[in-house]
Amino acid sequence: AWVGWLREALGLIAQRPGAFIGYTAAAALAQAAAHAVAWQPVRVLLILVVAVLALGVFLRLALVVDYNRPARADDVLPGNLEVATAVAVSAVLFTAYGALGPAIFTPLGDSLEAALAGLGLYEPRLESGAPAPRPVAYFLVGPVLVAGGIWGVSAAAAGLVLLLLGQWFLLPMVALHAAPPGMAMAVSPRAYTANPAAMTGLLGLLALGLGAVLLSAGWLGPLLAPVLGALLYTSYRDVFLGRDHNHPSGPPVPTPSELAAESRGESNPPD
């Protein structure tokens, strides 16, 4: 089923590419603002928070595109409950980063520095003899690694942690149905036992995405968050709502709550 989830997620992005590009640009600006924070621990935490919030934004965007609705900010941007959930997930990621970051990112940074120096694009020392700033501080390198590599790696890491902890469906339940996070955390793992092959396929897909971002030196990073967000939606829709295909593009499609409200004769259906 994970192949179908990915196909339908890409189909939603193809239906409204302008909206996905616009929100991707906004998320990239938010990541750039987070990276501008001087204090390193706060900077890393904010980068992770933005990555998780971006997944929620693209999850909501996939919903409105599926139902052929306008991508208005009040329908796409996260609410207070989603922000709180994103901060909690980011705190878990931050803990993992503190434990694993030095073993992963420090060697990558050293390898990048050595490669750029070998190509003559970077001098480790200034003319005065003082140590030069690290390569990520340079304009032509920093945006690629920050908006690309760091964003892509953090988004993939968020998805991997949610998946490995049995919480892949936590964000969709909270974002789409305002489910209490505790209840959502208890229900999400049940989907794994019913869909073992599909969830294993998702794990391999996320690993491939993470590898692609690293091998592309970060250039594929900005593409990963919208795909993961749409994938969260299509997988949740199939497993929990029983629909494995997108609505055809065209006029707005009534939501289940709107149909229920019409049957009760209500003019303003509840969310």
Side-chain angles (χ1 to χ4, degrees):
W2 64 271
V3 177
W5 297 344
L6 178 61
R7 181 183 62 248
E8 297 301 297
L10 296 177
L12 290 174
I13 294 174
Q15 281 189 39
R16 205 84 61 85
F20 277 93
I21 291 173
Y23 281 100
T24 299
L29 289 175
Q31 276 287 15
H35 186 264
V37 175
W39 193 18
Q40 196 263 354
V42 175
R43 179 171 68 248
V44 172
L45 180 60
L46 287 177
I47 286 174
L48 294 173
V49 170
V50 171
V52 178
L53 285 177
L55 292 179
V57 167
F58 292 118
L59 166 66
R60 280 174 165 266
L61 181 57
L63 171 72
V64 300
V65 172
D66 188 23
Y67 282 88
N68 299 323
R69 305 300 175 91
R72 299 176 302 188
D74 56 345
D75 293 328
V76 175
L77 295 181
N80 294 335
L81 181 61
E82 295 158 69
V83 172
T85 304
V87 171
V89 171
S90 302
V92 175
L93 289 170
F94 183 76
T95 303
Y97 172 82
L100 303 176
I104 298 176
F105 292 102
T106 298
L108 286 175
D110 294 340
S111 299
L112 172 69
E113 184 174 320
L116 292 176
L119 293 173
L121 301 176
Y122 173 72
E123 290 292 337
R125 292 194 172 272
L126 303 174
E127 294 181 359
S128 62
R134 299 299 297 270
V136 292
Y138 288 88
F139 176 75
L140 294 178
V141 178
V144 177
L145 295 179
V146 174
I150 294 178
W151 185 16
V153 168
S154 57
L160 280 170
V161 168
L162 289 171
L163 187 60
L164 292 174
L165 294 180
Q167 299 305 320
W168 176 258
F169 300 106
L170 169 64
L171 290 180
M173 279 190 276
V174 172
L176 302 185
H177 294 110
M183 182 273 289
M185 291 177 66
V187 172
S188 179
R190 300 182 186 178
Y192 285 58
T193 57
N195 304 274
M199 303 312 292
T200 303
L202 273 182
L203 181 61
L205 188 64
L206 285 176
L208 286 174
L210 180 58
V213 171
L214 293 175
L215 290 175
S216 67
W219 284 104
L220 292 179
L223 302 178
L224 197 59
V227 173
L228 284 182
L231 187 61
L232 278 167
Y233 170 73
T234 55
S235 59
Y236 173 75
R237 183 187 64 190
D238 185 18
V239 172
F240 283 86
L241 306 181
R243 180 162 58 89
D244 61 357
H245 60 278
N246 300 331
H247 289 123
S249 58
V253 177
T255 66
S257 61
E258 289 172 340
L259 292 174
E262 287 180 6
S263 67
R264 295 191 300 267
E266 298 177 10
S267 58
N268 294 315
D271 292 333

